[in-house]
Amino acid sequence: MEIIEKATIKDATQIHRMVNKFADQGKMLARPLSEIYENIRDFYVIREQGRVIACAALHVIWEDLAEIKSVAVTGDYQKKGWGEKLVRVCLEEAAHLNIPKVFCLTYTPEFFSKCGFKIIDRENLPQKIWGECFKCPKFPDCDETALIYSFKN
Ligand SMILES: CC(C)(COP(=O)(O)OP(=O)(O)OC[C@H]1O[C@@H](n2cnc3c(N)ncnc32)[C@H](O)[C@@H]1OP(=O)(O)O)[C@@H](O)C(=O)NCCC(=O)NCCS
């Protein structure tokens, strides 16, 4: 049975392969392996017989904002609720950290809407997040949709 666990350093190459395979299909942004190693503590994975079949990451931006990144579920395991469960685990961690808002930038806004996120204007996100965007091959022509999840007090 698949369970959601924190990633270990041994998962990094498999996460990298999975994310970049979807990136090649234009479904998400590519991530260099170095970025996955540096941020491995952000990642959750689901493993099936030792193989990573899904991942998601929660990255803290500031005292009131975090980002969900690199949500991916391999083909055979899609549409079984695992993507939403991974997002829930990331949101639970944000709540545990007392971070009131979590955003994402995605080509799949419908999925995040199902997870309770609301579409926002990218321009409303703080300047701070664009620091990372410098590294993106698409910068400054971002074509992702921004969504935000706000915890109710
Ligand atoms: C998008 C992705 C993460 C969804 O994971 P998943 O495990 O298949 O999704 P779930 O089964 O948890 O779906 C949750 C809900 O979102 C909907 N959903 C899932 N993928 C969707 C998509 N591509 N478009 C529209 N709705 C979608 C499901 O139908 C479901 O809705 P329901 O509860 O009304 O049935 C997965 O398809 C994937 O890895 N795609 C390639 C990479 C990608 O696009 N990542 C996006 C984040 S950057």
Side-chain angles (χ1 to χ4, degrees):
M1 202 191 96
E2 302 88 355
I3 50 164
I4 297 175
E5 297 175 294
K6 287 297 278 184
T8 76
I9 207 73
K10 289 201 171 114
D11 298 317
T13 52
Q14 291 188 66
I15 293 170
H16 180 244
R17 253 199 308 278
M18 188 166 59
V19 166
N20 287 338
K21 193 170 147 216
F22 285 129
D24 288 346
Q25 297 166 11
K27 292 184 175 165
M28 59 201 300
L29 291 183
R31 307 270 175 206
L33 185 55
S34 59
E35 190 184 314
I36 293 167
Y37 280 132
E38 284 166 18
N39 295 287
I40 196 70
R41 285 177 294 184
D42 286 353
F43 276 89
Y44 289 93
V45 291
I46 300 174
R47 301 189 195 88
E48 163 88 347
Q49 293 174 347
R51 186 172 70 99
V52 174
I53 55 108
C55 67
L58 179 80
H59 188 67
V60 177
I61 305 283
W62 204 247
E63 66 168 350
D64 57 354
L65 191 66
E67 178 179 7
I68 290 190
K69 302 169 84 163
S70 302
V71 185
V73 179
T74 51
D76 292 351
Y77 293 86
Q78 286 179 7
K79 300 281 161 93
K80 292 180 176 9
W82 289 113
E84 187 166 354
K85 285 197 179 78
L86 279 159
V87 169
R88 291 267 151 256
V89 167
C90 291
L91 291 175
E92 276 165 25
E93 187 178 2
H96 175 74
L97 290 166
N98 265 320
I99 297 174
K101 286 183 186 228
V102 179
F103 78 97
C104 66
L105 288 162
T106 183
Y107 296 122
T108 319
E110 302 86 355
F111 164 69
F112 284 96
S113 293
K114 290 270 162 114
C115 297
F117 285 67
K118 304 270 179 262
I119 292 179
I120 52 158
D121 190 336
R122 272 199 310 266
E123 306 305 316
N124 291 338
L125 289 169
Q127 198 80 27
K128 172 91 176 67
I129 74 147
W130 306 117
E132 274 223 343
C133 296
F134 264 122
K135 293 185 249 163
C136 176
K138 297 205 173 177
F139 183 82
D141 301 315
C142 178
D143 55 357
E144 292 185 298
T145 301
L147 296 97
I148 201 150
Y149 185 98
S150 302
F151 291 99
K152 292 176 193 78
N153 294 318

